[in-house]
Amino acid sequence: MPEVEEVIVTGTAIRGTPIDSPYAVEVLDRDAYEDRGAPALTDLFKNLGANAGAIGEVTSWLNGTGQAVPETAANVNLRGLGASRTLVLFNGQRQVYVPARLTGGRFVDVNALPLIALKRVEVLKEGAAAVYGSDAVAGVVNFITRSDFAGFEVAGAFEHFDGAGDADLGAIWGGALGDAHLVVAFERAERQRLNLAERSFGLPADGAAYWGWSGTGNPGAFMVPESSAGGTEPLSALLAAAPRFVDPRCAEMGGENWGSTCGFRFGRWDNLIESQQQTRLFAELSGDYGASGSYRVEMLWADAQIPAWLTTPTSPPVARYDDVQLVAADHPGRVALAAGHGALPGSDGSAIDLQGTEDWYFLGRLVGNAGPGREVPRETSTLRLAAQAQGETGALHYDLGVAWSRADGLMNRPAEYAYRRFLAFRGFGGAGCGVGVVADATAVSGLALGPVPNGVAPGQGNCRYYNPFSNAIEHSAQPGSAFAGVRNPDFRADLANDPALFDWIGEEVRIRDEAEMLVVDAVVGADWIPERLSVAAGYQMRRFAATTRPSDAANLALNPCWIPGDRSCRSPTGLFASARGQLPFDADQTTHAAFVEGALKLGARWDAQIAAHYERHDQASTFDPKLALRLAVNDALALRGSVQTTFRTPSVDDLNPDISTKLELLPAVGTFKAIETQGNPHLDPESALTFNLGAVLLTPSLEVTVDYWRYEFSDPVRVLPFRAIEAAYASSATRARVQALVFCPGDLNDGSCEAAEVERIRVQSINGPDVDTSGVDMQVGGWRPLGGGDLEWGASASYIATYDVAALALNGLELVAPLDAVGYLNDPVDPAVPPLPRWKTAAFATWRWRDLRLTGRINRVSAYEDRDRSAGDRFADIDAFQTVDLTLSWRLPERGITMSLAALNVADAAPPLVGSDHFFDGMTHNPKGRRLKLRLRYRFGG
């Protein structure tokens, strides 16, 4: 049996408590981590049985954060209850959350800590509010650093996989600094871009029938309305009912002619992994004072950069049925189209006469199949200062701590000015044209042309037309399209759009978010009755503050309408025709908490732990007790169990009544539309009742643990599901119940439009339906001599028995039926319920012989289903995903060198197909395929 390192158990404040043996916590030390091939933390937690719905690679369009969190961040989501309900600690102390407004609460970015400085990771897989308070509903993950490291170590690795690769370089030094011990670590990690087109599953030939496509493309379609009798019918109604024709070069440019629109595959401009650089610096000073005291001071700085986040060339306009994208009869592109095509088939079966003089309205985006995609920078940084002091005074021992941490982020998103788009369609585009717009309450868009100076004419001089027709496009950038390498025969250079015009119309929505946390802890304890009763009590003060500072162009307080400075619009949409602006935000939350804990030895075999926690927030207070028992049946077998309540207050984001906006696909509309999310200052706190029953068998050559767990989770904070709102609106029987949340053309929410005409939906934070989840975790491991060396082996399995979500009602309407979520994809865009395969299993074997270590590991995720697809649909059943990893390490102790070669996913297993935009489940599976990783480590001293 290998030597077992002493582990300070996460989950209790009492020293040496037998109720909390190391087997109540899953521990991953450095050796085990390196035997796995030293994976990224995202991969590590995806393979953790207790975790469900991890982010860290999948684009922010699809990771449930509403594009608020960059792809450099990673999280932990124990039991799939939401990452904000897993408490993440660094050396036992809290860390600031990500600087982003998130519904349901924020989480800690675990990528901030340099891996070379990590000693181990401890995962407490049960609620822990009785000791830690709010956020520990689902469990605790504690990252513990190499405080006692001595010497110098430098390690570098390069991981190659088809189409891209990762590289990292780190160094750590530890040594005496006077009477203290100083450890300094530095790490630099770089990732190469991996585009969706690099994977065979990413852009399937028949993908037009599924996801990854938009109904608003370029080339696009054109609406040709007929005048209403007497001219009284509003333009929005005319456009919704108007016959349409599709640009004649739609298919050859890589689109799909869907009769009334030209489908656009935006996935061509999505990355599976963004090009990024992460730099991390960590320093820790520790030492002794007095007769029995010790201290530790630490500093962490981390910086993450995505220099060029890639996204679709332009976004679809939020409003489809207005007069912004008007194409008059004298538009040069339209004149050329009519000259080359006398008539085209309309969506109503008639022939559309292209020689007519009525206005047309473009149903499309400014740039599509011709590309290129747009790139904007994104960045986050973290700074942390923390200190702890421990010691004894008389019969008491104490632990004092203070931690201050701050994170800030810049999340840029491309956008287009609505009023400039309006001008460009009319031939008055460009910085030097000199024609503006004015507010017009009679127009659906609210815009009208301003005065046209003498001598200024559309398309003349400094004034430019935007041309929405395919005769402006020479080549397609869509792989496999007819015009990808062949010149469009309709192309005319004099009709091509000037790149400077796109630069003038385009803009970046720049949002600077900041978050700051201050935590002060004090814990005292004593062996009140030696070897019989130990007690501990503690106090904690936490203050969390968050701010959001949009750029002037994105600031709804400065520019609520489409015209700069105008305040006459009904709804504060901002200046942009796609991405919405945001209001400045400044809020804080202060928490005071106290707890008491006792460990009682009831006899030779029975131990008990009793704890209680009181916490007072600005909005609410709570009292949470815990009882745990442990029975030593004999020297090898122990049984344990616990029952407790947990609590979590609504976050500053959930309480904020200001609106934030993201684009989401509305199936009935067939394209992306604005979803406005509004906080709710009247939310109730979340609470949960948790149960745990376990057994531990430990012999010199065998270790077995079995744990049953259950969470009865009440009042979880979430938002109303926008797609359920859309579905209810589509039915005449239920429309009135939800129409106040649905906005039609003209900014009306009176139920006057059909579901296919909806322009935006507004949803609010709510206390959602109760969740009841349970399951079993199993681990087995052993040791034995083999072939002159030692063989260590193990296997683990996590089984989710239930994940039941109660019905969600709104205004007396059952908006969402009761849900049995186990074994289903659920909705990966909605973080309320992540994908939940029923089984996660793993097995490994490590053989050590002299200076060689060989490890083989199998990870398997069971099959699950997409309940939203009918039987026979190729995406209805999601296959099991199994990978095999091999790692060989060779240590040269006389030279201080360790070399390792890992082959991860040896069989090059592709992730199972999923009916989502990227055609795989980015929260569960890995898209990189076979990876070869070479790692070198050099160490001396110590």
Side-chain angles (χ1 to χ4, degrees):
M1 177 177 178
E3 180 181 352
V4 177
E5 179 186 5
E6 180 184 359
V7 175
I8 301 172
V9 176
T10 297
T12 180
I14 294 178
R15 299 180 177 182
T17 309
I19 187 68
D20 282 307
S21 70
Y23 311 109
V25 179
E26 185 169 344
V27 180
L28 181 70
D29 61 17
R30 287 198 66 79
D31 284 344
Y33 171 73
E34 293 184 358
D35 284 343
R36 298 183 185 209
L41 286 179
T42 301
D43 294 332
L44 184 72
F45 288 117
K46 279 183 182 179
N47 289 328
L48 180 68
N51 192 74
I55 71 167
E57 288 175 346
V58 64
T59 178
S60 56
W61 279 102
L62 302 175
N63 65 13
T65 69
Q67 302 178 69
V69 176
E71 291 74 6
T72 53
N75 68 9
V76 190
N77 188 356
L78 294 180
R79 308 303 183 197
L81 291 174
S84 61
R85 300 175 184 104
T86 296
L87 178 62
V88 173
L89 305 174
F90 287 177
N91 285 323
Q93 294 178 289
R94 288 178 178 253
Q95 167 71 359
V96 69
Y97 311 123
V98 292
R101 179 179 173 180
L102 297 178
T103 302
R106 310 183 186 205
F107 58 83
V108 173
D109 178 10
V110 299
N111 270 344
L113 196 64
L115 292 175
I116 198 168
L118 278 180
K119 186 175 187 177
R120 65 179 181 272
V121 182
E122 297 179 355
V123 182
L124 176 64
K125 298 178 288 184
E126 62 178 75
V131 175
Y132 294 107
S134 188
D135 299 349
V137 173
V140 182
V141 178
N142 193 5
F143 292 84
I144 298 172
T145 58
R146 304 166 78 179
S147 304
D148 55 354
F149 179 82
F152 175 75
E153 179 179 304
V154 59
F158 178 74
E159 179 180 302
H160 170 75
F161 44 92
D162 188 21
D166 298 339
D168 62 80
L169 178 67
I172 184 170
W173 174 87
L177 184 66
D179 294 331
H181 186 78
L182 176 65
V183 175
V184 179
F186 169 83
E187 190 169 72
R188 171 78 172 184
E190 298 193 1
R191 311 199 72 183
Q192 296 175 348
R193 171 181 287 181
L194 180 66
N195 190 258
L196 189 64
E198 295 285 345
R199 292 294 177 265
S200 59
F201 60 82
L203 300 175
D206 59 350
Y210 301 99
W211 291 77
W213 288 71
S214 169
T216 309
N218 186 296
F222 297 85
M223 297 176 281
V224 185
E226 298 177 358
S227 298
S228 61
T232 59
E233 192 170 357
L235 175 63
S236 59
L238 291 174
L239 294 181
R244 308 172 186 179
F245 69 90
V246 173
D247 191 292
R249 297 301 184 182
C250 167
E252 290 142 310
M253 280 289 173
E256 288 281 337
N257 189 334
W258 291 344
S260 59
T261 62
C262 180
F264 168 63
R265 185 169 61 182
F266 58 81
R268 163 68 178 84
W269 288 278
D270 275 355
N271 288 328
L272 295 171
I273 299 173
E274 297 291 342
S275 174
Q276 56 190 262
Q277 299 90 42
Q278 300 199 43
T279 307
R280 311 173 186 111
L281 178 64
F282 179 78
E284 184 173 358
L285 182 70
S286 58
D288 298 328
Y289 65 90
S292 61
S294 63
Y295 67 88
R296 180 181 59 80
V297 180
E298 67 180 44
M299 184 278 293
L300 168 68
W301 175 79
D303 178 79
Q305 301 280 339
I306 300 177
W309 178 72
L310 178 67
T311 189
T312 183
T314 55
S315 298
V318 171
R320 299 173 71 170
Y321 303 113
D322 64 19
D323 55 345
V324 171
Q325 302 192 151
L326 178 148
V327 185
D330 59 351
H331 189 292
R334 174 172 169 175
V335 172
L337 177 78
H341 305 270
L344 288 172
S347 57
D348 60 355
S350 65
I352 304 293
D353 181 9
L354 303 184
Q355 306 295 333
T357 60
E358 64 279 305
D359 291 333
W360 296 348
Y361 296 83
F362 179 52
L363 180 56
R365 63 185 73 206
L366 295 186
V367 184
N369 290 318
R374 285 179 296 178
E375 296 178 337
V376 294
R378 293 181 165 186
E379 62 184 48
T380 57
S381 64
T382 301
L383 178 63
R384 171 183 170 88
L385 301 173
Q388 282 184 304
Q390 298 177 333
E392 297 180 359
T393 174
L396 294 177
H397 58 80
Y398 61 86
D399 189 336
L400 308 176
V402 59
W404 173 87
S405 48
R406 183 176 183 274
D408 66 88
L410 181 63
M411 288 293 288
N412 293 344
R413 296 193 295 271
E416 299 98 41
Y417 285 105
Y419 79 95
R420 294 182 181 179
R421 188 190 295 228
F422 180 94
L423 290 169
F425 269 89
R426 289 156 175 79
F428 296 111
C433 180
V435 178
V437 294
V438 295
D440 181 359
T442 65
V444 178
S445 65
L447 305 177
L449 277 176
V452 179
N454 291 332
V456 174
Q460 303 296 317
N462 292 326
C463 298
R464 297 283 183 270
Y465 268 107
Y466 165 74
N467 184 2
F469 299 95
S470 58
N471 51 35
I473 308 172
E474 185 173 7
H475 296 287
S476 171
Q478 285 283 6
S481 61
F483 291 162
V486 176
R487 191 173 189 266
N488 173 13
D490 289 350
F491 171 71
R492 282 178 42 180
D494 61 316
L495 297 177
N497 289 303
D498 185 351
L501 180 65
F502 291 134
D503 292 340
W504 177 75
I505 296 174
E507 180 60 280
E508 289 183 12
V509 173
R510 296 187 294 277
I511 308 292
R512 173 69 69 178
D513 294 306
E514 298 178 356
E516 183 177 297
M517 179 178 283
L518 174 65
V519 184
V520 178
D521 291 287
V523 178
V524 295
D527 294 330
W528 197 341
I529 304 175
E531 299 184 0
R532 178 66 64 179
L533 175 62
S534 297
V535 296
Y539 164 80
Q540 182 180 85
M541 187 282 293
R542 302 193 304 272
R543 183 182 184 276
F544 175 73
T547 61
T548 294
R549 296 288 180 265
S551 58
D552 287 351
N555 190 336
L556 292 180
L558 300 176
N559 293 294
C561 306
W562 276 2
I563 302 174
D566 178 38
R567 296 181 177 274
S568 63
C569 54
R570 291 183 56 191
S571 179
T573 59
L575 295 175
F576 307 113
S578 50
R580 296 297 181 97
Q582 192 163 323
L583 288 167
F585 174 50
D586 194 341
D588 62 80
Q589 231 176 23
T590 300
T591 302
H592 297 275
F595 80 94
V596 62
E597 182 181 10
L600 177 64
K601 194 167 185 62
L602 300 176
R605 297 187 180 277
W606 283 94
D607 299 280
Q609 181 191 36
I610 301 174
H613 189 101
Y614 173 78
E615 192 160 300
R616 180 171 62 82
H617 297 255
D618 296 336
Q619 295 79 22
S621 62
T622 182
F623 177 80
D624 293 293
K626 176 182 180 179
L627 171 65
L629 296 172
R630 180 178 183 272
L631 169 63
V633 178
N634 53 42
D635 292 342
L637 178 63
L639 305 178
R640 56 187 174 86
S642 67
V643 58
Q644 61 191 302
T645 63
T646 60
F647 167 92
R648 184 175 167 274
T649 189
S651 72
V652 294
D653 303 317
D654 299 318
L655 299 168
N656 176 19
D658 293 338
I659 292 171
S660 65
T661 305
K662 61 181 179 179
L663 294 177
E664 295 286 2
L665 177 65
L666 294 182
V669 182
T671 192
F672 286 80
K673 288 294 178 180
I675 306 300
E676 299 177 339
T677 301
Q678 187 174 33
N680 180 1
H682 305 294
L683 291 171
D684 294 324
E686 304 173 339
S687 62
L689 178 64
T690 68
F691 306 88
N692 295 270
L693 294 173
V696 179
L697 176 66
L698 181 62
T699 73
S701 61
L702 182 66
E703 174 186 319
V704 181
T705 65
V706 179
D707 293 286
Y708 167 80
W709 48 269
R710 181 173 179 178
Y711 297 73
E712 296 178 358
F713 190 26
S714 300
D715 297 320
V717 175
R718 59 159 300 164
V719 295
L720 286 169
F722 63 88
R723 286 182 184 150
I725 299 291
E726 181 194 29
Y729 185 83
S731 169
S732 59
T734 56
R735 175 173 296 182
R737 307 282 187 94
V738 298
Q739 72 181 38
L741 304 175
V742 178
F743 290 79
C744 296
D747 204 34
L748 304 175
N749 58 345
D750 56 1
S752 58
C753 64
E754 296 303 313
E757 304 161 27
V758 167
E759 295 294 357
R760 58 190 170 94
I761 295 176
R762 181 174 296 172
V763 293
Q764 190 178 45
S765 296
I766 61 168
N767 287 111
D770 294 350
V771 177
D772 191 335
T773 181
S774 63
V776 178
D777 294 334
M778 296 164 280
Q779 288 183 302
V780 59
W783 307 266
R784 57 165 295 179
L786 179 68
D790 294 314
L791 177 69
E792 180 182 358
W793 59 274
S796 64
S798 289
Y799 171 77
I800 306 176
T802 61
Y803 197 111
D804 297 327
V805 184
L808 173 59
L810 176 68
N811 297 329
L813 170 68
E814 186 180 273
L815 199 62
V816 180
L819 178 68
D820 175 7
V822 181
Y824 293 101
L825 175 68
N826 302 309
D827 186 350
V829 176
D830 185 351
V833 184
L836 291 172
R838 191 173 291 275
W839 284 95
K840 275 189 177 181
T841 56
F844 79 93
T846 298
W847 181 57
R848 303 178 182 88
W849 179 75
R850 296 182 180 178
D851 296 321
L852 291 175
R853 293 168 66 98
L854 177 62
T855 298
R857 184 176 183 85
I858 299 174
N859 294 297
R860 181 179 175 84
V861 178
S862 65
Y864 49 114
E865 300 176 33
D866 186 344
R867 75 172 81 237
D868 295 328
R869 296 185 176 274
S870 59
D873 187 309
R874 63 180 295 197
F875 295 126
D877 296 320
I878 303 169
D879 294 337
F881 183 52
Q882 179 173 297
T883 59
V884 178
D885 304 335
L886 297 174
T887 304
L888 175 65
S889 297
W890 182 26
R891 187 168 63 92
L892 303 173
E894 68 281 0
R895 298 189 179 183
I897 296 175
T898 301
M899 297 181 292
S900 65
L901 179 64
L904 308 174
N905 191 2
V906 174
D908 197 22
L913 287 176
V914 173
S916 67
D917 286 341
H918 290 173
F919 295 94
F920 85 106
D921 176 2
M923 293 186 174
T924 306
H925 303 136
N926 191 312
K928 289 179 281 194
R930 182 187 297 113
R931 296 129 63 196
L932 298 178
K933 186 170 187 176
L934 176 64
R935 184 176 177 84
L936 297 175
R937 187 177 65 194
Y938 171 67
R939 177 174 180 174
F940 69 86

